[in-house]
């Protein structure tokens, strides 16, 4: 029996967290009872306004929702309940205060038919001149890269081009760091080797790149050094580590690079006795880590082999016997938390399997819906005895897709089996 104390501002969490002098309650919009309509009603929409309406009371996590129809209308809507706070921003505990309701749906960020002819979102901070949206957003590098790639040409984009765009692993942070890093004068063999590899790097975090591995471990090591400089006792929390169990990680790790880039380019006082020395030490540490874990030569340091993709079953993936049945074999994987093809890296364990990746890729052919394409890394079945268990993983890995039948006739033509469930009758 677990006794939970509930206040008008949510349940008391302190017994679960432990080690707190004061009682801390959690007030969250997703604890309020609201209808879960949204995506259940959206498929029946025949206009942008009909599409938006079911999301007015969306009670789950906030999302950037996009819309396109055959008339050429494009729409964007930020969905989710957004509390109106009284004098605070909600990132740290405050004395017992209540909210002044939630932001009206009409005031949530939304737009129709942008001048540039497209919307681009990738977990970035929404553009808003209206209500306060919070301060807890990941860096905007992925969205910025999408916009740069789309700006290379205004027309002529094919379904294949759009699939390739989703697989893009160009590192925008390196473009911002390169001049500063390459101006360093190394004093050790390891730092010299790191700079030699980075000098010729094309900035793409591909699975076959040793320079990409050096860059990723350099950023991870420097992120930790920066956190330690200001929080020598609790620095691990600033780079994503919070303890054990369900509190082992936070999303702090997914927004460290923007802060790091700004510090490296401005090199303000009060962080290190000497910024160039700190940068060179992190470069040398990256090479040493790769040599210790991968081997003596850069030919063994490729990013995909140093940090592979490993799809693991959330429940049975650690079972001593069944894990072989439910887990996929590791695959070389490119990308990081700031590339369009996302593959998150934690500074505390940069060579651990990625914790955040784009499992699903889709390209919708608006108006010619049956030409749409899709691929799902985990396949369509959670049953390891099914032929559809992980069968799409090789396709996903090499960048291929499969047809996405959409209209009833196309679905019927593509069907291989049909299961009919009829009330009151035994299963056929």
């Amino acid at each position: 029996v677990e006794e939970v104390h509930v206040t008008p501002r949510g349940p008391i969490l302190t017994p679960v967290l432990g080690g707190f002098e004061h009682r801390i309650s959690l007030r969250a919009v997703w604890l309020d009872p609201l209808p879960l309509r949204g995506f259940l009603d959206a498929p029946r929409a025949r206009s942008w306004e009909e599409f938006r309406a079911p999301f007015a009371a969306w009670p789950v996590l906030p999302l950037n929702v996009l819309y396109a129809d055959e008339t050429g209308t494009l729409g964007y809507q930020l969905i989710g309940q957004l509390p109106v706070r009284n004098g605070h921003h909600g990132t740290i505990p405050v004395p017992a205060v209540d909210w002044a309701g939630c932001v009206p749906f009409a005031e949530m960020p939304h737009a129709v038919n942008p001048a540039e002819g497209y919307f681009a979102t990738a977990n970035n901070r929404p553009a808003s001149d209206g209500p306060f949206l919070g301060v807890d957003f990941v860096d905007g590098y992925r969205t910025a890269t999408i916009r740069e790639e789309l700006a290379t040409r205004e027309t002529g984009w094919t379904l294949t081009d759009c699939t390739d765009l989703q697989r893009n692993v160009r590192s925008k942070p390196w473009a911002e760091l390169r001049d500063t890093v390459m101006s360093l004068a190394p004093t050790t063999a390891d730092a010299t080797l790191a700079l030699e590899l980075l000098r010729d790097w094309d900035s793409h975090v591909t699975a076959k790149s040793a320079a990409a591995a050096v860059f990723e471990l350099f950023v991870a090591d420097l992120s930790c050094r920066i956190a330690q400089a200001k929080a020598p006792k609790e620095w691990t929390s600033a780079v994503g580590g919070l303890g054990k169990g369900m509190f082992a990680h936070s999303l702090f790790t997914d927004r460290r690079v923007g802060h790091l880039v700004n510090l490296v380019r401005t090199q303000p006082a009060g962080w290190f006795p000497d910024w160039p020395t700190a940068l060179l030490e992190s470069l040398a540490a990256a090479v040493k880590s790769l040599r210790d874990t991968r081997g003596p030569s850069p030919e063994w340091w490729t990013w995909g082999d140093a940090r592979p993709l490993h799809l693991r079953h959330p429940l049975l993936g650690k079972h001593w016997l069944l894990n072989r049945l439910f887990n996929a074999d590791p695959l070389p994987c490119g990308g990081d938390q700031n590339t369009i093809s996302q593959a998150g890296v934690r500074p505390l364990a940069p060579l651990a399997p990625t914790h955040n990746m784009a499992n699903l890729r889709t390209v919708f052919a608006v108006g010619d819906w049956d030409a749409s394409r899709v691929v799902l890394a985990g396949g369509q079945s959670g049953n390891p005895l099914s032929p559809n268990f992980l069968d799409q993983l090789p396709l996903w890995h090499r960048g291929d897709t499969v047809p996405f039948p959409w209209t009833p006739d196309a679905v019927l033509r593509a069907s291989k089996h049909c299961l009919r469930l009829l009330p009151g009758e035994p299963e056929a």
Side-chain angles (χ1 to χ4, degrees):
V1 175
E2 182 72 25
E3 189 175 86
V4 179
H5 294 272
V6 179
T7 75
R9 290 167 296 280
I12 300 292
L13 298 182
T14 316
V16 178
L17 300 175
F20 285 86
E21 178 181 352
H22 304 286
R23 293 185 178 182
I24 299 178
S25 64
L26 174 68
R27 178 80 168 95
V29 291
W30 41 264
L31 292 176
D32 296 337
L34 287 171
L36 187 65
R37 299 309 312 169
F39 291 109
L40 300 179
D41 291 344
R44 290 186 289 272
R46 293 295 178 265
S47 68
W48 164 237
E49 290 304 327
E50 286 186 20
F51 176 84
R52 290 182 64 209
F55 293 105
W58 180 250
V60 202
L61 72 165
L63 294 170
N64 289 315
V65 175
L66 301 179
Y67 170 94
D69 65 29
E70 296 178 17
T71 70
T73 299
L74 301 177
Y76 159 77
Q77 177 71 57
L78 176 64
I79 66 174
Q81 303 299 300
L82 183 65
V84 178
R85 306 181 187 277
N86 292 315
H88 66 98
H89 46 60
T91 58
I92 60 175
V94 295
V97 294
D98 210 342
W99 298 337
C102 289
V103 174
F105 184 67
E107 298 179 15
M108 294 287 280
H110 62 280
V112 181
N113 296 330
E116 57 267 39
Y118 66 85
F119 289 107
T121 74
N123 306 117
N124 54 292
R125 177 191 294 272
S128 174
D129 296 327
F132 173 72
L133 300 179
V135 297
D136 192 12
F137 297 96
V138 299
D139 293 332
Y141 288 117
R142 296 177 66 225
T143 304
T145 306
I146 292 172
R147 291 184 175 278
E148 290 177 356
E149 295 293 333
L150 290 176
T152 58
R153 66 179 190 270
E154 295 184 359
T155 60
W157 285 86
T158 66
L159 296 176
T160 300
D161 292 334
C162 293
T163 301
D164 291 341
L165 179 60
Q166 294 180 54
R167 298 175 58 236
N168 186 292
V169 291
R170 179 167 65 88
S171 173
K172 187 171 175 60
W174 174 241
E176 297 179 352
L177 287 171
R178 191 182 193 284
D179 289 346
T180 302
V181 173
M182 298 312 301
S183 68
L184 297 171
T187 57
T188 65
D190 285 349
T192 300
L193 178 56
L195 290 173
E196 288 176 355
L197 291 170
L198 291 172
R199 183 173 292 108
D200 297 327
W201 184 37
D202 64 359
S203 79
H204 285 70
V205 189
T206 63
K208 296 182 179 180
S209 173
V214 170
F215 170 73
E216 297 297 339
L217 268 65
F218 162 68
V219 169
D221 185 85
L222 188 57
S223 293
C224 293
R225 291 174 187 264
I226 288 173
Q228 286 177 289
K230 292 297 183 180
K233 294 183 179 180
E234 297 292 338
W235 66 272
T236 56
S237 297
V239 288
L242 289 177
K244 298 180 179 179
M246 64 180 295
F247 301 106
H249 302 292
S250 76
L251 288 179
F252 286 177
T253 183
D254 291 322
R255 58 177 184 272
R256 298 308 306 157
V257 177
H259 182 232
L260 178 148
V261 168
N262 180 63
L263 289 176
V264 170
R265 296 176 73 177
T266 58
Q267 300 189 9
W271 291 82
F272 302 111
D274 179 67
W275 270 96
T277 299
L279 299 179
L280 289 169
E281 289 176 350
S282 286
L283 287 168
V287 168
K288 183 179 185 305
S289 176
L290 289 168
R291 183 182 293 113
D292 291 345
T293 58
R294 303 301 306 167
S297 172
E299 63 187 85
W300 289 296
W301 299 355
T302 57
W303 180 233
D305 290 328
R307 194 288 317 267
L309 171 65
H310 197 176
L311 297 186
R312 294 172 175 170
H313 194 278
L315 297 179
L316 301 175
K318 295 183 179 180
H319 191 277
W320 67 276
L321 179 60
L322 296 179
N323 63 347
R324 301 176 186 177
L325 191 62
F326 282 86
N327 292 342
D329 293 331
L331 291 171
C333 177
D336 62 20
Q337 68 268 41
N338 290 308
T339 54
I340 297 176
S341 181
Q342 191 175 38
V345 179
R346 297 190 187 279
L348 292 173
L351 298 182
T354 178
H355 65 282
N356 189 11
M357 46 82 74
N359 182 33
L360 173 69
R361 300 191 191 115
T362 56
V363 179
F364 295 102
V366 179
D368 184 17
W369 299 101
D370 290 329
S372 302
R373 309 287 296 186
V374 64
V375 67
L376 184 66
Q380 284 283 52
S381 173
N383 179 4
L385 301 180
S386 167
N388 301 120
F389 181 73
L390 298 177
D391 62 330
Q392 294 184 43
L393 182 55
L395 302 174
W396 182 94
H397 187 240
R398 63 175 180 261
D400 290 340
T401 56
V402 296
F404 196 165
W406 194 268
T407 63
D409 288 344
V411 171
L412 185 61
R413 289 194 300 269
S415 297
K416 294 184 178 181
H417 305 282
C418 181
L419 174 65
R420 299 180 67 198
L421 301 177
L422 302 176
E425 295 186 18
E427 181 179 318

